[in-house]
Amino acid sequence: MAYGKIKADAIVYDNSGSDVEVSTADITGKANLASPAFTGTPTAPTASVGTNTTQIATTAFVEAAAGNRLIKEGSTYRVQFIAIGGGGAGGYTDSGFAGGGGGAGGLAYHDGFMVTDGDAYTVTIGGGATGPANDSAMNSAGQIDSSQAPNGGNTTITGTGLNVNAFGGGGGAGYNGQYIEGAAGGCGGGSEGYALSYHTSSYARKAHGGTSAFGTHGGIGANNRGNLGDGQYAAGGGGGVGSGPLAHRTTGGTGTPAFHEWLAATSQGSTHSSVRYIGGGGGGGIGDNSTTRSGGVGGEGGAGQGGDNTGSSGSDATDGTGSGGGGRGYYNAGSGRGGNGGDGLVIFRYPDNEGQKGSGGTVVQSGGWYYHTFTSSGTFTA
């Protein structure tokens, strides 16, 4: 066998019957199999989360794995939680136009609170307010005016280093023809407005739900200028205004879809177009009896619909959503009442890569997380 050297600028090789020319510069530029020194941006297949082999880890794999692993320091680890207060009741009226919808509870959220094994946190779920069926049932929660329906109850979480208060939603307004504002709360309740010339009529007062560091104030009740109560990341919808003229909007503010993943995993919330919401504002009742009309629609998130122009009751909100009840319809007919607000909700979650850590509530494992859901009061133990 002869040995020697070949000097060439390119090499032609046979590739399934076709000649392929490769420059020697391309060949000498290839990385070694042993300890290769790559340049540029080398790529590789991304392994699924949880893979534990000698396979190369891409930046995408590292990001996915790091984003869903328990963060801990000794016996201390990080949890996330959401909490929403109970929804306000829809307004009642027997001598005015129609009841305003109840506002949603304020929503509190924390994306990384450190807890220690064994620490106990008391969870109190705020109840949805009971819809009034007569004048004396209005203002049962100390609002500034007897024309306001009751506020929802506050949802609280208390324990070592934690004191959360997600305020209940404001009650809707609605009797004696005063066209007053809805009550303050996690989100404002709707007014019994007829026209803007009446005591800033169509506005619900801005609420102050949530707590510093955990939430934001609620929205303003919907009125003829639009759905000003729509929910944001940490606030639900305001109640719809009780309506006379068709020009007036009676729709409750839409709640927040920001926690769809949480709600889907725990079968909570109200679904609209395959997305889950909580914290909708109740629809306002219809006050004009000259045309057959349904009450105002409750905002997405489980809110109640307003009563129609036969004087029907506002619909009750769905429990576990913190949504507002619908306002009673036309005052001069029927025997309707304001709709009940929906009870509040608390959910804790943490990554599942080290197994279940805490206890309390209804526990499910889904999508790389453990969820602890409270629809009634109880204790979360770390």
Side-chain angles (χ1 to χ4, degrees):
M1 180 178 291
Y3 293 90
K5 298 179 179 179
I6 298 174
K7 183 177 182 181
D9 294 325
I11 294 175
V12 177
Y13 71 93
D14 179 53
N15 181 20
S16 301
S18 298
D19 289 342
V20 178
E21 183 176 308
V22 179
S23 71
T24 54
D26 286 342
I27 296 173
T28 57
K30 299 297 183 182
N32 297 325
L33 289 176
S35 303
F38 295 122
T39 60
T41 308
T43 61
T46 298
S48 59
V49 174
T51 299
N52 185 15
T53 68
T54 57
Q55 180 179 352
I56 291 174
T58 64
T59 55
F61 171 81
V62 173
E63 184 70 18
N68 199 38
R69 296 188 69 81
L70 192 71
I71 297 175
K72 66 177 188 175
E73 298 174 1
S75 60
T76 300
Y77 64 98
R78 190 175 79 168
V79 301
Q80 300 174 327
F81 64 78
I82 58 173
I84 190 169
Y92 171 89
T93 179
D94 65 1
S95 57
F97 248 88
L107 194 149
Y109 165 63
H110 203 302
D111 68 351
F113 181 75
M114 300 300 288
V115 299
T116 300
D117 290 343
D119 283 352
Y121 295 89
T122 300
V123 174
T124 302
I125 299 298
T130 300
N134 52 57
D135 290 351
S136 62
M138 297 285 277
N139 193 32
S140 63
Q143 286 90 330
I144 64 171
D145 193 291
S146 61
S147 295
Q148 294 165 352
N151 287 350
N154 297 347
T155 290
T156 61
I157 307 173
T158 57
T160 304
L162 190 63
N163 186 6
V164 176
N165 190 351
F167 299 145
Y175 84 104
N176 287 341
Q178 297 178 39
Y179 312 112
I180 66 160
E181 300 168 347
C187 295
S191 78
E192 189 222 356
Y194 171 74
L196 292 176
S197 59
Y198 293 92
H199 185 66
T200 63
S201 63
S202 293
Y203 292 93
R205 291 186 301 138
K206 200 168 189 178
H208 302 284
T211 60
S212 59
F214 295 115
T216 65
H217 59 69
I220 302 173
N223 58 56
N224 67 318
R225 292 173 54 193
N227 293 339
L228 299 185
D230 285 357
Q232 300 298 323
Y233 191 62
V241 61
S243 174
L246 285 172
H248 278 217
R249 297 295 295 272
T250 61
T251 302
T254 296
T256 176
F259 299 97
H260 166 80
E261 181 183 43
W262 301 53
L263 302 172
T266 58
S267 300
Q268 298 297 317
S270 176
T271 303
H272 174 72
S273 297
S274 301
V275 177
R276 292 182 182 247
Y277 293 76
I278 52 175
I286 290 296
D288 183 358
N289 72 336
S290 63
T291 305
T292 301
R293 287 192 288 140
S294 299
V297 177
E300 300 302 343
Q305 176 168 313
D308 63 24
N309 63 348
T310 67
S312 65
S313 298
S315 299
D316 297 338
T318 302
D319 285 337
T321 67
S323 298
R328 179 197 166 165
Y330 186 59
Y331 75 96
N332 201 26
S335 57
R337 60 170 175 81
N340 296 335
D343 293 345
L345 174 74
V346 169
I347 303 175
F348 294 87
R349 79 170 188 176
Y350 49 86
D352 65 1
N353 62 293
E354 294 198 13
Q356 183 177 333
K357 299 286 291 181
S359 62
T362 300
V363 183
V364 298
Q365 184 181 14
S366 176
W369 301 89
Y370 274 105
Y371 293 86
H372 295 250
T373 304
F374 292 82
T375 54
S376 60
S377 299
T379 302
F380 173 75
T381 302

